[in-house]
């Protein structure tokens, strides 16, 4: 029987050096943000680089998909935002709850992001993902679910790696290597223009997708996508 995706992400969440923790999808963001929320809110793999929480348009409520250890959510909650994090990994959620136990208005739920959105009764002013679940879910399934759970005019913002030129759509890899147990892991890669078309087709507007240059332009940049759900007139 094949091992589950949940176990893959649990291994990813464990401290580096522990069994099975080597991981080819890390943004480096976890390590960079492991110690403090004081560094602020960022979207890129380079600390202090690029825009911050202003892209969320001052939400009262926010949902992060694939929140990891919850550093950005804690940052928002400390500013009074009612903040919810969803992550497939129980290891991540437990670590997040322990780390931020003293922060009010913050909760973490272990779940697949699509399953969570399908059964959610609430709506959020901002749904976002920082190299998180949006990267690892089929947008054709995810985008309608997000749209349905945004308050009128609410925002969707996410970041991830830019696509490798010519390699678009689902990208597969074996999460336990070629000699390990069979563990297919997928993520989805598109150009900014492809994301813009897809978001418009799913009823989002004010769509802006771009690749933010790295501090050293020779290094890997960051794909950053912003969109608004329908609803608020004027
Ligand atoms: C590359 S990590 C990024 C974590 C965090 N946003 C950060 O920057 O440190 C991706 C996260 O997404 C979570 N994830 C992956 N697929 C998911 C899914 N289908 N539903 C919810 N979370 C998921 C993983 O468990 C992991 O915590």
């Amino acid at each position: 029987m094949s091992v589950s995706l949940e176990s893959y992400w649990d291994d990813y969440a464990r401290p580096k050096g522990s069994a099975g923790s080597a991981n080819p999808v890390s943004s480096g963001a976890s390590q960079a943000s492991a110690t403090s929320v004081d560094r602020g809110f960022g979207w890129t793999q380079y600390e202090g680089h690029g825009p911050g929480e202003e892209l969320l348009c001052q939400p009262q409520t926010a949902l992060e998909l694939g929140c990891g250890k919850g550093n950005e959510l804690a940052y928002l909650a400390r500013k009074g935002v009612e903040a919810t994090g969803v992550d497939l990994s129980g290891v991540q959620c437990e670590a997040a709850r322990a780390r931020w136990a003293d922060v009010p208005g913050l909760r973490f739920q272990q779940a697949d992001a699509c399953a969570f959105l399908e059964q959610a009764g609430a709506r959020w002013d901002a749904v976002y993902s920082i190299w998180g679940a949006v990267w690892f879910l089929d947008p054709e399934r995810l985008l309608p679910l997000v749209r349905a759970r945004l308050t009128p005019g609410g925002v969707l913002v996410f970041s991830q790696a830019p696509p490798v030129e010519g390699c678009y759509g689902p990208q597969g890899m074996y999460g336990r290597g070629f000699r390990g147990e069979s563990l297919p892991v997928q993520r989805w890669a598109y150009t900014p223009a492809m994301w813009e078309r897809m978001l418009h087709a799913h009823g989002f507007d004010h769509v802006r997708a771009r690749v933010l240059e790295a501090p050293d332009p020779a290094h890997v940049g960051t794909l950053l996508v912003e969109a608004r759900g329908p609803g608020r007139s004027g």
Side-chain angles (χ1 to χ4, degrees):
M1 200 171 84
S2 67
V3 285
S4 71
L5 262 184
E6 195 180 315
S7 73
Y8 172 81
W9 287 112
D10 278 346
D11 287 347
Y12 170 90
R14 291 190 177 103
K16 301 304 164 232
S18 64
S21 65
N23 200 293
V25 298
S26 176
S27 68
S30 309
Q31 292 94 316
S33 60
T35 50
S36 173
V37 287
D38 299 333
R39 73 185 185 96
F41 188 110
W43 300 96
T44 81
Q45 63 274 49
Y46 304 106
E47 196 164 341
H49 178 64
E53 87 227 50
E54 67 277 8
L55 300 190
L56 299 177
C57 302
Q58 300 187 312
Q60 291 182 0
T61 57
L63 172 67
E64 182 171 349
L65 305 177
C67 59
K69 294 186 175 56
N71 298 302
E72 273 72 19
L73 279 169
Y75 176 87
L76 294 177
R78 283 187 170 161
K79 293 192 154 191
V81 178
E82 200 184 299
T84 302
V86 180
D87 201 287
L88 189 56
S89 162
V91 173
Q92 292 282 36
C93 290
E94 274 170 38
R97 286 186 201 110
R99 179 177 290 172
W100 308 116
D102 63 333
V103 180
L106 180 55
R107 81 179 185 106
F108 297 97
Q109 173 79 43
Q110 184 200 351
D112 165 70
C114 283
F116 176 85
L117 289 164
E118 270 161 2
Q119 55 74 52
R123 289 174 184 262
W124 288 270
D125 299 332
V127 175
Y128 72 94
S129 189
I130 302 170
W131 295 66
V134 171
W135 199 11
F136 303 98
L137 288 165
D138 182 349
E140 292 299 327
R141 180 170 174 224
L142 178 68
L143 293 179
L145 294 171
V146 170
R147 202 193 113 159
R149 302 268 47 104
L150 285 172
T151 54
V155 297
L156 167 65
V157 186
F158 59 90
S159 63
Q160 59 191 52
V164 172
E165 201 180 337
C167 302
Y168 309 122
Q171 318 281 310
M173 62 179 173
Y174 287 106
R176 291 273 158 81
F178 298 128
R179 293 172 146 219
E181 289 166 284
S182 175
L183 178 50
V185 178
Q186 283 178 293
R187 57 190 166 185
W188 276 258
Y190 299 101
T191 63
M194 290 171 180
W195 275 113
E196 288 183 353
R197 275 198 299 278
M198 232 180 324
L199 283 154
H200 280 128
H202 281 285
F204 289 83
D205 57 26
H206 296 83
V207 177
R208 181 184 188 203
R210 57 192 154 132
V211 174
L212 209 70
E213 207 170 67
D216 178 337
H219 292 182
V220 178
T222 307
L223 179 86
L224 188 54
V225 181
E226 303 160 68
R228 263 185 198 277
R232 202 156 46 201
S233 51

